[in-house]
Amino acid sequence: MSGAATSIAAGAINRGEPPLTPGATLEPWWVRALLIGIALVFLTLFLFVPLVSVFYEALKKGWGVYVASIVEPDAWSAIKLTLLTAAIAVPLNLVFGVAAAWAIAKFEFRGKNLLLTLIDLPFSVSPVISGLIYVLLFGMQGYFGPWLREHDIKILFAVPGIVLATVFVTFPFVARELIPLMQSQGNEEEEAALVLGASGWRTFWHVTLPNIKWGLLYGVILCNARAMGEFGAVSVVSGHIRGETNTIPLQVEILYNEFNITGAFAVASLLAFLALVTLVIKSVVEWRIHHQLAAGNRE
């Protein structure tokens, strides 16, 4: 742009108006329509149609059959185990995520990059591999297997193994959501609170936590969604014991393999419904974060 155009754009930005966009950067209408059409076709084929199909197959034989498939003892056990696993894994990851983000964003120490790498490890390791690691550690022939057998402690093919596997595959979500947020906020407010005599714990509750609450909630939502939908790692450590160690995804697989198509889609529809609820909450949190950032920029 010319110097005059640059000055006009800068003035518009200072007044809070949207900057001028050169006409050369605007695509023709048919290009925009084509791109939007491709996106809509992709979403229809790979998102909307499968989602509608799940609920259609679940309800195809009527509401009574659907409810019967949900309240069937094995399915109900899978639902309760999934909720129990998420109820344990998510709070643990919340505590770890906040502590890790606090340490990485607010302090400088040796091994900081290594800690960041370890936090990202579940993103790069297959969930099946992570499940096999627990088999090597706690299985009958594993490192701790003989000791666990002598003390009658059961990790694999029981709830503890399922919780451990779920915690492993989900622990990056809260930390990875908070680290960039806390780094962008800096340390000025915490340092001011400490200078004024506030303790570290009080500074966290009254200064740090209010600033990260929406990012923290966003990370918890993602962590909870992954915890309830995890299949690979849980499949390895659960043993597929019906009515005892099957979560909802594993129960869907068993019902489908037994050609109980209606039952499989009925249980799967619960996960789909939870995903939709999670998406709505996620959208609300994103809107709140955007609104909060916009308010901060105006100030």
Side-chain angles (χ1 to χ4, degrees), residues 203-288:
T203 299
F204 171 77
W205 279 107
H206 295 280
V207 178
T208 303
L209 189 59
N211 289 336
I212 66 172
K213 60 182 179 181
W214 291 112
L216 179 61
L217 179 58
Y218 187 80
V220 168
I221 291 171
L222 295 178
C223 179
N224 183 69
R226 177 63 186 275
M228 290 192 292
E230 175 55 32
F231 178 85
V234 172
S235 178
V236 174
V237 302
S238 70
H240 293 268
I241 304 174
R242 299 190 67 155
E244 295 184 21
T245 62
N246 278 337
T247 58
I248 294 178
L250 300 183
Q251 183 67 15
V252 171
E253 181 195 31
I254 289 177
L255 293 174
Y256 187 81
N257 289 336
E258 294 178 347
F259 301 101
N260 186 355
I261 305 300
T262 301
F265 277 102
V267 178
S269 68
L270 292 179
L271 281 181
F273 176 75
L274 290 173
L276 292 175
V277 172
T278 301
L279 182 63
V280 171
I281 298 175
K282 174 177 171 290
S283 299
V284 172
V285 172
E286 286 178 339
W287 177 83
R288 291 286 303 186

Side-chain angles (χ1 to χ4, degrees), residues 135 137-156:
V135 173
L137 290 175
F138 305 115
M140 297 296 290
Q141 307 300 323
Y143 293 108
F144 304 110
W147 185 87
L148 293 173
R149 184 173 61 251
E150 292 176 3
H151 293 80
D152 195 25
I153 299 175
K154 198 171 184 180
I155 302 294
L156 289 183

Side-chain angles (χ1 to χ4, degrees), residues 57-79 242 248 251-252 255 260-270:
E57 292 292 338
L59 297 169
K60 184 168 64 174
K61 294 185 178 181
W63 181 255
V65 176
Y66 177 82
V67 174
S69 300
I70 297 297
V71 300
E72 189 265 333
D74 290 344
W76 185 241
S77 175
I79 294 170
R242 299 190 67 155
I248 294 178
Q251 183 67 15
V252 171
L255 293 174
N260 186 355
I261 305 300
T262 301
F265 277 102
V267 178
S269 68
L270 292 179

Side-chain angles (χ1 to χ4, degrees), residues 95-110:
V95 174
F96 168 80
V98 172
W102 176 278
I104 292 172
K106 305 298 182 180
F107 302 97
E108 293 295 332
F109 55 91
R110 295 180 62 182

Side-chain angles (χ1 to χ4, degrees), residues 67-196:
V67 174
S69 300
I70 297 297
V71 300
E72 189 265 333
D74 290 344
W76 185 241
S77 175
I79 294 170
K80 291 190 292 185
L81 179 57
T82 301
L83 296 176
L84 174 63
T85 302
I88 298 174
V90 173
L92 290 177
N93 284 323
L94 187 151
V95 174
F96 168 80
V98 172
W102 176 278
I104 292 172
K106 305 298 182 180
F107 302 97
E108 293 295 332
F109 55 91
R110 295 180 62 182
K112 184 175 179 177
N113 291 331
L114 176 61
L115 179 57
L116 281 169
T117 302
L118 292 176
I119 290 175
D120 290 336
L121 187 62
F123 287 146
S124 57
V125 175
S126 168
V128 174
I129 300 302
S130 64
L132 288 175
I133 292 173
Y134 285 106
V135 173
L136 292 175
L137 290 175
F138 305 115
M140 297 296 290
Q141 307 300 323
Y143 293 108
F144 304 110
W147 185 87
L148 293 173
R149 184 173 61 251
E150 292 176 3
H151 293 80
D152 195 25
I153 299 175
K154 198 171 184 180
I155 302 294
L156 289 183
F157 311 143
V159 174
I162 295 173
V163 171
L164 286 174
T166 304
V167 168
F168 178 81
V169 299
T170 57
F171 80 79
F173 288 95
V174 176
R176 263 306 175 187
E177 193 63 36
L178 291 181
I179 289 172
L181 176 62
M182 295 177 74
Q183 286 177 332
S184 66
Q185 291 175 349
N187 301 330
E188 291 79 6
E189 294 187 22
E190 284 83 359
E191 291 173 352
L194 293 174
V195 169
L196 293 174

